[in-house]
Amino acid sequence: MKKIRVMITGIAGKMGQELVRTVAQQKDMLLVAGCDISQVGKDAGEMCGIDAIGVIIEMDLGVTLREVRPDVVCDFTYGEALRKNLPLYLENRVNMVIGTTGLTPEELKKLEDECQQREIGCLVAPNFAIGAVLMMQFAQKASQYMERAEIIEFHHPQKKDAPSGTAIKTAEGIIEAKDRAYEEKSFELLPGSRGGRLGTVNIHSVRLSGFVASQEVIFGGEGQTLTIRHDSLSRVSFMPGVLLAIRKIAKNKHFYYGLDKIMKL
């Protein structure tokens, strides 16, 4: 059986390390390379607490891509790093699974066009947890029956962007299902106390130690409220979704935004 040759960019980060441990256990995958700006020169397996796997962490992304020629590269870095990495992925025509958030709608459309022109498979997902995808689906359905919604998202302090990509995609789904005019009647004594706003949906971002990734979507209606919540208690929760994406992108030269696009929902 031909194995999927996987490369991880941002391999020394928490998501990268979890993915090393996960890919190492898959019979149909082989980790062939990893890049980062830290832990350079170390064995990827030993770095994340398992046995040595013979994959040495590199710093030069362009050279590594040309020498290794992976089937799929997984990028779990941060917005500015991803913007520098994308031209190299496209130049080397490597299929991409991107968990890094922060790209604008315009940047996503440009990436989609580039992938289609070069026949490159790409999946960009703000959240790889299956439960989070279901939460977004349920929220979109509920929005058809409830008056309006607000979102509260909770992440660890190291998360660089706010609001999260998951919160934005959830709000977009709610707006798509039912976007009606809403007049904000409250007055902010402290600017920003009502959070940010996308369409009719207010989004509040919490950054505290102890959280991995959680989100509440709170709906209000006549005499009732409805709360839909998802909690990722560890980064293990993201791995089934990442594996699903790798297997899909290795065989399909299409562009997908959101894990839901490849799930049977």
Side-chain angles (χ1 to χ4, degrees):
M1 178 179 64
K2 184 180 182 297
K3 294 187 176 184
I4 302 170
R5 293 164 52 81
V6 178
M7 175 177 169
I8 304 171
T9 308
I11 195 170
K14 292 180 179 179
M15 276 293 289
Q17 291 186 43
E18 193 62 57
L19 188 53
V20 171
R21 291 187 285 267
T22 301
V23 170
Q25 297 173 0
Q26 308 308 307
K27 294 181 179 180
D28 62 338
M29 295 182 191
L30 179 66
L31 182 65
V32 294
C35 281
D36 212 305
I37 58 174
S38 65
Q39 307 291 330
V40 176
K42 294 185 177 181
D43 184 282
E46 293 179 337
M47 172 202 63
C48 65
I50 61 175
D51 293 337
I53 57 176
V55 174
I56 303 303
I57 300 172
E58 306 288 347
M59 180 180 288
D60 194 316
L61 179 60
V63 170
T64 304
L65 285 167
R66 288 191 294 272
E67 291 182 348
V68 177
R69 308 301 299 174
D71 297 317
V72 178
V73 61
C74 299
D75 191 299
F76 287 97
T77 55
Y78 57 94
E80 288 308 310
L82 175 61
R83 290 183 177 91
K84 295 177 182 178
N85 297 341
L86 284 176
L88 294 172
Y89 299 151
L90 293 167
E91 177 186 329
N92 288 275
R93 298 172 67 99
V94 61
N95 302 310
M96 294 169 265
V97 172
I98 298 174
T100 303
T101 57
L103 294 181
T104 65
E106 293 75 22
E107 289 173 320
L108 287 168
K109 182 62 172 68
K110 182 179 178 181
L111 177 59
E112 180 179 3
D113 293 342
E114 291 274 6
C115 288
Q116 290 178 344
Q117 291 172 12
R118 299 169 188 254
E119 297 184 337
I120 297 171
C122 180
L123 184 143
V124 182
N127 198 314
F128 282 94
I130 303 297
V133 175
L134 294 173
M135 175 264 298
M136 288 186 272
Q137 293 281 322
F138 298 157
Q140 188 172 30
K141 183 68 174 179
S143 68
Q144 300 174 36
Y145 302 96
M146 302 295 283
E147 184 177 315
R148 67 183 298 264
E150 300 205 12
I151 296 171
I152 308 175
E153 54 98 348
F154 309 80
H155 282 81
H156 52 88
Q158 288 73 41
K159 183 169 179 58
K160 296 182 182 295
D161 56 327
S164 68
T166 301
I168 291 173
K169 195 170 191 304
T170 304
E172 289 172 344
I174 291 171
I175 293 166
E176 180 183 341
K178 183 191 66 176
D179 189 3
R180 63 174 62 175
Y182 177 80
E183 181 183 354
E184 181 63 76
K185 298 179 180 179
S186 60
F187 176 74
E188 292 185 328
L189 297 176
L190 183 65
S193 57
R194 291 289 290 116
R197 192 169 181 183
L198 182 62
T200 60
V201 183
N202 288 63
I203 304 176
H204 311 264
S205 297
V206 177
R207 298 291 178 265
L208 289 173
S209 297
F211 287 106
V212 175
S214 298
Q215 180 171 290
E216 289 184 355
V217 188
I218 306 172
F219 291 91
E222 288 293 331
Q224 61 182 320
T225 63
L226 169 66
T227 299
I228 302 171
R229 180 181 174 110
H230 175 262
D231 297 281
S232 282
L233 305 179
S234 79
R235 288 168 181 82
V236 173
S237 66
F238 305 121
M239 293 302 107
V242 177
L243 294 177
L244 178 66
I246 292 172
R247 292 181 175 115
K248 183 73 172 182
I249 290 303
K251 297 179 180 179
N252 293 270
K253 307 297 184 181
H254 299 291
F255 181 91
Y256 304 93
Y257 178 58
L259 191 65
D260 57 299
K261 298 301 189 298
I262 62 170
M263 290 173 59
K264 295 179 180 180
L265 297 172

mmCIF file of all heavy atoms in Angstrom, residues 19-51:
data_model
loop_
_atom_site.group_PDB
_atom_site.id
_atom_site.type_symbol
_atom_site.label_atom_id
_atom_site.label_comp_id
_atom_site.label_asym_id
_atom_site.label_seq_id
_atom_site.Cartn_x
_atom_site.Cartn_y
_atom_site.Cartn_z
ATOM 1 N N LEU A 19 0.144 16.316 15.999
ATOM 2 C CA LEU A 19 0.004 15.700 14.685
ATOM 3 C C LEU A 19 1.140 14.711 14.413
ATOM 4 O O LEU A 19 0.918 13.679 13.766
ATOM 5 C CB LEU A 19 -0.046 16.780 13.604
ATOM 6 C CG LEU A 19 -0.391 16.320 12.182
ATOM 7 C CD1 LEU A 19 -1.679 15.507 12.165
ATOM 8 C CD2 LEU A 19 -0.506 17.517 11.254
ATOM 9 N N VAL A 20 2.335 15.000 14.899
ATOM 10 C CA VAL A 20 3.444 14.042 14.769
ATOM 11 C C VAL A 20 3.061 12.715 15.422
ATOM 12 O O VAL A 20 3.208 11.635 14.828
ATOM 13 C CB VAL A 20 4.735 14.594 15.419
ATOM 14 C CG1 VAL A 20 5.804 13.496 15.474
ATOM 15 C CG2 VAL A 20 5.266 15.792 14.649
ATOM 16 N N ARG A 21 2.582 12.803 16.652
ATOM 17 C CA ARG A 21 2.198 11.583 17.381
ATOM 18 C C ARG A 21 1.082 10.831 16.664
ATOM 19 O O ARG A 21 1.046 9.594 16.644
ATOM 20 C CB ARG A 21 1.773 11.942 18.813
ATOM 21 C CG ARG A 21 2.933 12.413 19.694
ATOM 22 C CD ARG A 21 2.493 12.581 21.140
ATOM 23 N NE ARG A 21 1.702 13.782 21.342
ATOM 24 C CZ ARG A 21 2.191 14.959 21.710
ATOM 25 N NH1 ARG A 21 3.497 15.102 21.919
ATOM 26 N NH2 ARG A 21 1.400 16.002 21.885
ATOM 27 N N THR A 22 0.163 11.572 16.071
ATOM 28 C CA THR A 22 -0.986 10.953 15.404
ATOM 29 C C THR A 22 -0.591 10.307 14.081
ATOM 30 O O THR A 22 -0.959 9.160 13.799
ATOM 31 C CB THR A 22 -2.089 12.000 15.170
ATOM 32 O OG1 THR A 22 -2.493 12.543 16.435
ATOM 33 C CG2 THR A 22 -3.294 11.382 14.481
ATOM 34 N N VAL A 23 0.147 11.029 13.241
ATOM 35 C CA VAL A 23 0.557 10.501 11.940
ATOM 36 C C VAL A 23 1.425 9.259 12.117
ATOM 37 O O VAL A 23 1.329 8.292 11.343
ATOM 38 C CB VAL A 23 1.307 11.578 11.122
ATOM 39 C CG1 VAL A 23 1.957 10.969 9.880
ATOM 40 C CG2 VAL A 23 0.349 12.690 10.710
ATOM 41 N N ALA A 24 2.259 9.260 13.150
ATOM 42 C CA ALA A 24 3.145 8.118 13.403
ATOM 43 C C ALA A 24 2.372 6.832 13.653
ATOM 44 O O ALA A 24 2.910 5.732 13.467
ATOM 45 C CB ALA A 24 4.057 8.418 14.595
ATOM 46 N N GLN A 25 1.110 6.936 14.039
ATOM 47 C CA GLN A 25 0.294 5.764 14.352
ATOM 48 C C GLN A 25 -0.535 5.275 13.156
ATOM 49 O O GLN A 25 -1.179 4.230 13.247
ATOM 50 C CB GLN A 25 -0.647 6.081 15.512
ATOM 51 C CG GLN A 25 0.061 6.416 16.810
ATOM 52 C CD GLN A 25 -0.901 6.879 17.897
ATOM 53 O OE1 GLN A 25 -2.109 6.955 17.688
ATOM 54 N NE2 GLN A 25 -0.372 7.181 19.067
ATOM 55 N N GLN A 26 -0.521 6.040 12.048
ATOM 56 C CA GLN A 26 -1.372 5.692 10.907
ATOM 57 C C GLN A 26 -0.662 4.739 9.943
ATOM 58 O O GLN A 26 0.474 4.996 9.545
ATOM 59 C CB GLN A 26 -1.796 6.963 10.154
ATOM 60 C CG GLN A 26 -2.411 8.037 11.019
ATOM 61 C CD GLN A 26 -3.553 7.539 11.884
ATOM 62 O OE1 GLN A 26 -4.505 6.936 11.375
ATOM 63 N NE2 GLN A 26 -3.467 7.796 13.181
ATOM 64 N N LYS A 27 -1.340 3.671 9.562
ATOM 65 C CA LYS A 27 -0.733 2.686 8.663
ATOM 66 C C LYS A 27 -0.640 3.190 7.229
ATOM 67 O O LYS A 27 0.171 2.678 6.441
ATOM 68 C CB LYS A 27 -1.550 1.399 8.712
ATOM 69 C CG LYS A 27 -1.498 0.694 10.062
ATOM 70 C CD LYS A 27 -2.301 -0.594 10.039
ATOM 71 C CE LYS A 27 -2.220 -1.313 11.390
ATOM 72 N NZ LYS A 27 -3.001 -2.580 11.393
ATOM 73 N N ASP A 28 -1.475 4.182 6.887
ATOM 74 C CA ASP A 28 -1.483 4.664 5.502
ATOM 75 C C ASP A 28 -0.757 5.995 5.334
ATOM 76 O O ASP A 28 -0.858 6.631 4.282
ATOM 77 C CB ASP A 28 -2.919 4.799 4.995
ATOM 78 C CG ASP A 28 -3.738 5.814 5.788
ATOM 79 O OD1 ASP A 28 -3.371 6.106 6.947
ATOM 80 O OD2 ASP A 28 -4.737 6.329 5.253
ATOM 81 N N MET A 29 -0.029 6.443 6.363
ATOM 82 C CA MET A 29 0.682 7.721 6.293
ATOM 83 C C MET A 29 2.123 7.562 6.744
ATOM 84 O O MET A 29 2.455 6.684 7.535
ATOM 85 C CB MET A 29 -0.001 8.775 7.168
ATOM 86 C CG MET A 29 -1.386 9.153 6.733
ATOM 87 S SD MET A 29 -2.114 10.455 7.780
ATOM 88 C CE MET A 29 -3.811 10.411 7.203
ATOM 89 N N LEU A 30 2.972 8.455 6.216
ATOM 90 C CA LEU A 30 4.376 8.483 6.600
ATOM 91 C C LEU A 30 4.806 9.940 6.750
ATOM 92 O O LEU A 30 4.674 10.735 5.804
ATOM 93 C CB LEU A 30 5.236 7.809 5.530
ATOM 94 C CG LEU A 30 6.749 7.781 5.787
ATOM 95 C CD1 LEU A 30 7.069 6.913 7.008
ATOM 96 C CD2 LEU A 30 7.494 7.277 4.561
ATOM 97 N N LEU A 31 5.269 10.307 7.942
ATOM 98 C CA LEU A 31 5.782 11.657 8.152
ATOM 99 C C LEU A 31 7.171 11.733 7.533
ATOM 100 O O LEU A 31 8.080 11.002 7.928
ATOM 101 C CB LEU A 31 5.841 11.983 9.644
ATOM 102 C CG LEU A 31 6.321 13.401 9.986
ATOM 103 C CD1 LEU A 31 5.331 14.443 9.462
ATOM 104 C CD2 LEU A 31 6.508 13.570 11.495
ATOM 105 N N VAL A 32 7.334 12.617 6.548
ATOM 106 C CA VAL A 32 8.600 12.678 5.811
ATOM 107 C C VAL A 32 9.398 13.948 6.101
ATOM 108 O O VAL A 32 10.596 13.999 5.789
ATOM 109 C CB VAL A 32 8.361 12.557 4.290
ATOM 110 C CG1 VAL A 32 7.815 11.178 3.956
ATOM 111 C CG2 VAL A 32 7.408 13.651 3.784
ATOM 112 N N ALA A 33 8.763 14.973 6.676
ATOM 113 C CA ALA A 33 9.493 16.219 6.934
ATOM 114 C C ALA A 33 8.699 17.114 7.872
ATOM 115 O O ALA A 33 7.485 16.969 8.022
ATOM 116 C CB ALA A 33 9.775 16.965 5.625
ATOM 117 N N GLY A 34 9.422 18.044 8.486
ATOM 118 C CA GLY A 34 8.793 19.036 9.343
ATOM 119 C C GLY A 34 9.651 20.284 9.388
ATOM 120 O O GLY A 34 10.884 20.196 9.420
ATOM 121 N N CYS A 35 9.000 21.446 9.375
ATOM 122 C CA CYS A 35 9.716 22.721 9.414
ATOM 123 C C CYS A 35 9.207 23.583 10.565
ATOM 124 O O CYS A 35 8.027 23.537 10.920
ATOM 125 C CB CYS A 35 9.541 23.492 8.106
ATOM 126 S SG CYS A 35 10.590 22.923 6.760
ATOM 127 N N ASP A 36 10.111 24.360 11.124
ATOM 128 C CA ASP A 36 9.755 25.307 12.176
ATOM 129 C C ASP A 36 10.935 26.245 12.372
ATOM 130 O O ASP A 36 12.024 26.024 11.814
ATOM 131 C CB ASP A 36 9.419 24.583 13.482
ATOM 132 C CG ASP A 36 8.355 25.318 14.296
ATOM 133 O OD1 ASP A 36 8.567 26.519 14.586
ATOM 134 O OD2 ASP A 36 7.326 24.700 14.625
ATOM 135 N N ILE A 37 10.721 27.286 13.171
ATOM 136 C CA ILE A 37 11.819 28.197 13.498
ATOM 137 C C ILE A 37 12.440 27.850 14.839
ATOM 138 O O ILE A 37 13.426 28.457 15.250
ATOM 139 C CB ILE A 37 11.351 29.665 13.496
ATOM 140 C CG1 ILE A 37 10.200 29.874 14.496
ATOM 141 C CG2 ILE A 37 10.923 30.088 12.093
ATOM 142 C CD1 ILE A 37 9.782 31.321 14.654
ATOM 143 N N SER A 38 11.851 26.861 15.535
ATOM 144 C CA SER A 38 12.422 26.392 16.795
ATOM 145 C C SER A 38 12.614 24.884 16.729
ATOM 146 O O SER A 38 12.062 24.210 15.851
ATOM 147 C CB SER A 38 11.516 26.758 17.976
ATOM 148 O OG SER A 38 10.276 26.074 17.900
ATOM 149 N N GLN A 39 13.396 24.340 17.647
ATOM 150 C CA GLN A 39 13.690 22.905 17.709
ATOM 151 C C GLN A 39 14.391 22.398 16.450
ATOM 152 O O GLN A 39 14.368 21.187 16.156
ATOM 153 C CB GLN A 39 12.408 22.097 17.948
ATOM 154 C CG GLN A 39 11.577 22.525 19.134
ATOM 155 C CD GLN A 39 12.257 22.231 20.463
ATOM 156 O OE1 GLN A 39 13.026 21.300 20.591
ATOM 157 N NE2 GLN A 39 11.978 23.048 21.459
ATOM 158 N N VAL A 40 15.008 23.311 15.690
ATOM 159 C CA VAL A 40 15.675 22.928 14.440
ATOM 160 C C VAL A 40 16.829 21.971 14.739
ATOM 161 O O VAL A 40 17.603 22.166 15.672
ATOM 162 C CB VAL A 40 16.197 24.175 13.699
ATOM 163 C CG1 VAL A 40 16.988 23.780 12.444
ATOM 164 C CG2 VAL A 40 15.033 25.091 13.330
ATOM 165 N N GLY A 41 16.920 20.922 13.945
ATOM 166 C CA GLY A 41 17.980 19.935 14.108
ATOM 167 C C GLY A 41 17.620 18.771 15.002
ATOM 168 O O GLY A 41 18.357 17.786 15.070
ATOM 169 N N LYS A 42 16.477 18.845 15.668
ATOM 170 C CA LYS A 42 16.061 17.764 16.560
ATOM 171 C C LYS A 42 15.189 16.758 15.816
ATOM 172 O O LYS A 42 14.529 17.084 14.830
ATOM 173 C CB LYS A 42 15.289 18.328 17.756
ATOM 174 C CG LYS A 42 16.141 19.187 18.686
ATOM 175 C CD LYS A 42 15.347 19.607 19.921
ATOM 176 C CE LYS A 42 16.208 20.410 20.883
ATOM 177 N NZ LYS A 42 15.457 20.818 22.099
ATOM 178 N N ASP A 43 15.182 15.530 16.305
ATOM 179 C CA ASP A 43 14.302 14.521 15.756
ATOM 180 C C ASP A 43 12.863 14.836 16.164
ATOM 181 O O ASP A 43 12.580 15.088 17.345
ATOM 182 C CB ASP A 43 14.699 13.127 16.265
ATOM 183 C CG ASP A 43 13.859 12.027 15.636
ATOM 184 O OD1 ASP A 43 12.700 11.835 16.068
ATOM 185 O OD2 ASP A 43 14.359 11.371 14.713
ATOM 186 N N ALA A 44 11.945 14.820 15.207
ATOM 187 C CA ALA A 44 10.558 15.214 15.472
ATOM 188 C C ALA A 44 9.894 14.303 16.498
ATOM 189 O O ALA A 44 9.099 14.752 17.325
ATOM 190 C CB ALA A 44 9.752 15.220 14.175
ATOM 191 N N GLY A 45 10.225 13.015 16.446
ATOM 192 C CA GLY A 45 9.631 12.090 17.405
ATOM 193 C C GLY A 45 10.094 12.352 18.821
ATOM 194 O O GLY A 45 9.286 12.440 19.752
ATOM 195 N N GLU A 46 11.392 12.496 18.996
ATOM 196 C CA GLU A 46 11.943 12.755 20.324
ATOM 197 C C GLU A 46 11.447 14.086 20.873
ATOM 198 O O GLU A 46 11.215 14.220 22.068
ATOM 199 C CB GLU A 46 13.465 12.731 20.264
ATOM 200 C CG GLU A 46 14.033 11.347 19.950
ATOM 201 C CD GLU A 46 15.543 11.343 19.862
ATOM 202 O OE1 GLU A 46 16.121 12.427 19.608
ATOM 203 O OE2 GLU A 46 16.160 10.267 20.045
ATOM 204 N N MET A 47 11.278 15.079 19.993
ATOM 205 C CA MET A 47 10.796 16.397 20.419
ATOM 206 C C MET A 47 9.428 16.297 21.089
ATOM 207 O O MET A 47 9.156 16.979 22.083
ATOM 208 C CB MET A 47 10.706 17.351 19.229
ATOM 209 C CG MET A 47 10.031 18.684 19.529
ATOM 210 S SD MET A 47 9.371 19.502 18.057
ATOM 211 C CE MET A 47 8.130 18.350 17.491
ATOM 212 N N CYS A 48 8.556 15.437 20.565
ATOM 213 C CA CYS A 48 7.185 15.372 21.088
ATOM 214 C C CYS A 48 6.962 14.190 22.017
ATOM 215 O O CYS A 48 5.818 13.841 22.309
ATOM 216 C CB CYS A 48 6.172 15.391 19.952
ATOM 217 S SG CYS A 48 6.233 13.967 18.881
ATOM 218 N N GLY A 49 8.049 13.553 22.474
ATOM 219 C CA GLY A 49 7.916 12.566 23.527
ATOM 220 C C GLY A 49 7.702 11.135 23.090
ATOM 221 O O GLY A 49 7.308 10.303 23.911
ATOM 222 N N ILE A 50 7.944 10.830 21.809
ATOM 223 C CA ILE A 50 7.870 9.444 21.366
ATOM 224 C C ILE A 50 9.263 9.026 20.893
ATOM 225 O O ILE A 50 10.211 9.794 20.965
ATOM 226 C CB ILE A 50 6.819 9.250 20.250
ATOM 227 C CG1 ILE A 50 7.179 10.095 19.014
ATOM 228 C CG2 ILE A 50 5.433 9.625 20.748
ATOM 229 C CD1 ILE A 50 6.242 9.868 17.826
ATOM 230 N N ASP A 51 9.382 7.796 20.396
ATOM 231 C CA ASP A 51 10.679 7.334 19.910
ATOM 232 C C ASP A 51 11.121 8.140 18.690
ATOM 233 O O ASP A 51 10.293 8.710 17.967
ATOM 234 C CB ASP A 51 10.605 5.851 19.535
ATOM 235 C CG ASP A 51 10.389 4.958 20.751
ATOM 236 O OD1 ASP A 51 10.725 5.411 21.874
ATOM 237 O OD2 ASP A 51 9.866 3.840 20.588
#
